[in-house]
Amino acid sequence: MAQYTQEKALAHRGTGGSMSDDEAVPDSDPTNTSGLLSERLQAWKHACGYLEDYIGTTAKIQKAHSKEYEKVLKTVSNPLKEGQHFDQTNNGVAGLFENIRSNTQGIANSHLETEKNLKGSVLPILERLHAEIKNKSKELSSGAAKGAKSVEKSRNITQKHIELLGQHTGAFDTRASKVEPANDPYIIQRGIHHRLHKQILEENNNRNDLIAVQDSFLQFEGHVIQTIQAAMSAFYQYVGGQADLQKGMYANIVATTQRIPLDFEWKGFLGRNSSVLVDPSQPPRSISHISFPNQDHRSTQPLIAGTLERKSRAMGALKGYSTGYYVVTPSHYLHEFKDDDNVRKDPVPEMSLYLPDCTIGAVVDEKFNIKGKDTAKGKLGGVLHTSSELSFKAHSPADADKWWSVIREASDESATSPPATSIAQSRNVSGASGPPGYHEKAPPLQTQGLPQGQGQYSAGGAHSAELQSAGGLQSAGPQSAVSARSTGGTGPFQSAGVGSGASPATQHNPTRGL
């Protein structure tokens, strides 16, 4: 049994391994050579087909280009709009567009002519070559490929008999019964020799056929390459000629453009429109010479404007005074700006106080206080509607007097017209007007920590209640009375013990609280 397995393995070596002359059935595939040659013809056929597709697609593109250039031509086919602005001679822009129309039409015609030449002269060469390669492939299939199949069939028959011999020789020593004549190993061995002779004859015939085919491939492939070279030469002749023609037409357009003098059109335009163009000798516009309706309306003129310092409301180390530009308007507002520049950005107030709703404190030296709500839109104070006391400091006591007087008058909501005095600038206040001398001023009235309505001027200029010695100002007699400012001309604030011409029962309470 072990001997049979070994001989069977040797018999099956025909399915793999290297080819050897002493093997009955070589492991090489007899169809490999013819299959390889057939595959090579397929490669040439596909290469030829690719070239046909390339030439055919190029021809289609040439036709498409012709149509596209017709579209390009339409973009300049109409006369120039506002053509009266250009000189109508051939030396200017109008002549340039006429040249563009002529050359673009020529380019479109050249593409159409190239498409016809490629289809009529180049493609037929490749189509004939394609047919020749197909015929060569058919010859190979009917000749060498058919012989390879016969060789393969003979090898299979021989291999079956070799395997049969292996079976009977393996069982020869252990067989007890009689062997059939057809299964006698001697007969089988002679049958293998007969079939090997026929197999080798067919293998040699197939070999000779393949050698002849291989030799013919050298000449055939030379013919294929020569034909392809002829086709590509014709392709270059037509496509290259068209490209050169197109290049020359574009060069002509560029040359026409370069010949236009730089000042040709402008000088002609100046001559035709000198009466309409701007005279460069006239001066440019200036905002100082521009006026507009209601520019000087009394509501647009500030009652006072200038720089003040305001104490920061921040906590801790951020406390201190910062300088800003402030304006009191006839609309009873005190506006705060970063500066008085109207050019760099839109002058939107950083803070706006509606003075009739505010409480005005007294002046001490160059300082005074105002308590009210910031009504500027978009600001945090306006959103939360909270009141806060703001401390202001002028550049001098005289400036403080002037600011305080104007703010006091503006806090009177019934006053609809600005005072007769001219607009005050805080930096140039002389101090001739305002409250009495500063040696008679009492300390400023503070709103923080005081009951509502004490020591402050409310909207409308009404008197506050008399200050009590426990929480207000201490009186030192009539000579040291506080000469506080009121808005209605009803008289100064009086401290405790000083008559004011009216009993406490007849004095007014503030019309607007904090």
Side-chain angles (χ1 to χ4, degrees), residues 385-429:
H385 299 286
T386 58
S387 297
S388 58
E389 184 173 346
L390 306 174
S391 299
F392 295 91
K393 183 169 69 172
H395 298 284
S396 66
D399 276 355
D401 284 342
K402 192 65 177 178
W403 276 97
W404 187 90
S405 298
V406 175
I407 291 172
R408 183 194 63 182
E409 294 177 7
S411 65
D412 185 1
E413 196 170 15
S414 62
T416 58
S417 60
T421 58
S422 61
I423 299 172
Q425 299 295 329
S426 65
R427 293 184 180 274
N428 301 317
V429 176

Side-chain angles (χ1 to χ4, degrees), residues 7-30 148 150-165 191-200 203:
E7 291 178 357
K8 184 175 181 182
L10 291 173
H12 276 279
R13 284 200 310 170
T15 60
S18 60
M19 182 176 178
S20 177
D21 291 339
D22 57 357
E23 293 179 352
V25 181
D27 58 356
S28 62
D29 189 348
S150 299
V151 171
E152 185 178 11
K153 184 178 179 180
S154 297
R155 286 181 177 179
N156 290 335
I157 294 173
T158 304
Q159 180 66 30
K160 289 180 180 179
H161 281 75
I162 292 175
E163 292 175 357
L164 182 62
L165 177 63
I192 291 173
H193 279 283
H194 170 73
R195 288 167 180 79
L196 274 176
H197 178 74
K198 183 179 180 182
Q199 170 190 325
I200 291 173
E203 285 178 349

Side-chain angles (χ1 to χ4, degrees), residues 196-273:
L196 274 176
H197 178 74
K198 183 179 180 182
Q199 170 190 325
I200 291 173
L201 182 62
E202 291 181 351
E203 285 178 349
N204 291 334
N205 290 336
N206 182 61
R207 177 177 178 274
N208 294 333
D209 291 342
L210 291 176
I211 291 174
V213 170
Q214 289 176 192
D215 292 340
S216 67
F217 260 68
L218 175 63
Q219 183 180 1
F220 180 74
E221 289 192 4
H223 168 69
V224 171
I225 293 176
Q226 189 177 19
T227 305
I228 291 176
Q229 290 174 343
M232 296 310 295
S233 296
F235 173 77
Y236 172 75
Q237 178 183 354
Y238 296 120
V239 177
Q242 188 278 329
D244 292 339
L245 180 62
Q246 181 171 330
K247 181 179 179 181
M249 291 180 177
Y250 278 125
N252 182 256
I253 293 175
V254 174
T256 303
T257 306
Q258 299 298 329
R259 285 195 296 267
I260 301 176
L262 301 181
D263 58 351
F264 178 79
E265 291 291 348
W266 179 248
K267 286 183 176 179
F269 178 72
L270 286 179
R272 295 189 299 270
N273 300 277

Side-chain angles (χ1 to χ4, degrees), residues 290-301 423:
I290 295 176
S291 61
F292 49 86
N294 298 315
Q295 179 179 2
D296 297 323
H297 190 271
R298 61 186 179 86
S299 64
T300 65
Q301 306 305 310
I423 299 172

Side-chain angles (χ1 to χ4, degrees), residues 73-101 260 265 272:
L73 180 60
K74 288 182 180 179
T75 62
V76 292
S77 60
N78 295 326
L80 286 174
K81 294 181 179 180
E82 294 84 25
Q84 70 275 11
H85 285 268
F86 302 105
D87 196 295
Q88 298 304 310
T89 63
N90 291 331
N91 297 328
V93 173
L96 168 64
F97 276 92
E98 188 61 34
N99 180 272
I100 291 175
R101 294 185 190 100
I260 301 176
E265 291 291 348
R272 295 189 299 270

